[in-house]
Amino acid sequence: MKISAIITLKKDVLDPQGKVIHQTLEDMNFKNINEVRQGKYFEIDVKENDPKKAKEIVEDMCKKLLANLVIENYKIIEIQ
Amino acid sequence: MKSSVITFPGSNCDRDMDVALKKFGFKNKMVWHNDIELPKSDLVVLPGGFSYGDYLRCGSVASKSKIMQSVINFAKSGGMVMGICNGFQILVESGLVPGVLLRNKYLAFICKNVFVKLDNKNNHYFKNLDKDIFEFHIAHNEGNYFCTPEQLKEIEDNNQIAIYYCNNLGKIEEKFNPNGSIKNIAGIFNKEKNVLGMMPHPERMIDNCLSGEDGSLFFKNLINSIK
């Protein structure tokens, strides 16, 4: 079963890459941006058919490796 | 005195560290990341480099490698563990020292000499050093030290800040902060002060012909204070 996870920087953590992307987009005439934050997206095919269990496995992965909880949040976003 | 330098795939300062430790009298062993047992050591060093290509987050994959469980146990039993640059990133990812190292504030890879000021000499790494300001070399892309306000309070309350970025006179100001680190922090200890993580490379300052001598002072003092 495929589970996706999105890792984003927490609100108060500086995201210089997001700032540069924001600036570049503005220079390209996208003038209607408040803020850009860059994150990571994972698609994990888990050997588990129970959606609840599969989600729990990916959540455990997020806590232990995929996200650093000092600076990042994770969100399990979809099940296919 | 026995030391061990851990080599991860992508480490590139491991041999420099080996040369530095041997020059000042350590009997050093190189230890592969896939080993399980740590040789008997008085000091374990996690060297600089780009372990596992800096994939996911710098140091995150190395922090889960086989040898790290032994390094963590060694540190928790009071053993001295020093992480330099990528080694510092591995220490934060393994939870041995608090905080994280983010991308440099101005997004540039920084490679230059900097001055750092020691904050606390009440530990094996810095005790008996007779000066406070050292010139070391830094070379990193992710050295921007960050922690939560709660962690910062705890770090300050326990005197865990090891070194600050400063100028040649020891002034600690934002304009001497190369990478955006909170409070100009260049290195920190764990609570017990047996684990030290720092971005600057003392092993690059051990030869008067090539660099300065401040690394020599650091290593000479280190072996004497461990004895």
Side-chain angles (χ1 to χ4, degrees), chain B residues 44-90:
Chain B
V44 173
V45 183
L46 307 179
F50 301 85
S51 58
Y52 297 90
D54 278 349
Y55 289 176
L56 190 61
R57 293 177 308 277
C58 301
S60 64
V61 183
S63 74
K64 312 291 179 206
S65 65
K66 281 186 186 160
I67 193 67
M68 279 309 291
Q69 198 49 55
S70 297
V71 175
I72 289 167
N73 293 342
F74 177 74
K76 293 212 162 137
S77 66
M80 288 177 72
V81 178
M82 177 168 78
I84 305 294
C85 197
N86 188 226
F88 185 13
Q89 294 162 344
I90 297 168

Side-chain angles (χ1 to χ4, degrees), chain B residues 105-196:
Chain B
K105 190 173 176 186
Y106 304 108
L107 288 172
F109 185 95
I110 306 164
C111 181
K112 64 174 185 179
N113 285 1
V114 292
F115 290 95
V116 293
K117 189 173 186 182
L118 311 185
D119 191 47
N120 170 5
K121 289 192 186 172
N122 194 14
N123 58 75
H124 280 305
Y125 294 95
F126 302 147
K127 76 173 181 194
N128 303 326
L129 278 171
D130 51 14
K131 62 174 193 169
D132 298 333
I133 303 157
F134 284 75
E135 188 180 10
F136 286 151
H137 191 258
I138 54 169
H140 60 245
N141 199 35
E142 284 89 2
N144 177 357
Y145 183 78
F146 178 88
C147 60
T148 63
E150 298 76 35
Q151 282 178 315
L152 184 63
K153 187 177 180 305
E154 211 182 316
I155 289 167
E156 288 185 317
D157 289 351
N158 294 315
N159 293 319
Q160 282 173 255
I161 302 176
I163 49 175
Y164 295 95
Y165 296 108
C166 64
N167 70 350
N168 59 341
L169 302 171
K171 270 202 167 165
I172 301 164
E173 290 174 14
E174 180 54 33
K175 61 183 166 186
F176 309 122
N177 184 345
N179 54 25
S181 292
I182 287 185
K183 299 237 164 188
N184 282 38
I185 292 174
I188 54 165
F189 293 112
N190 66 341
K191 236 185 212 169
E192 294 75 21
K193 320 283 187 299
N194 60 311
V195 180
L196 167 64

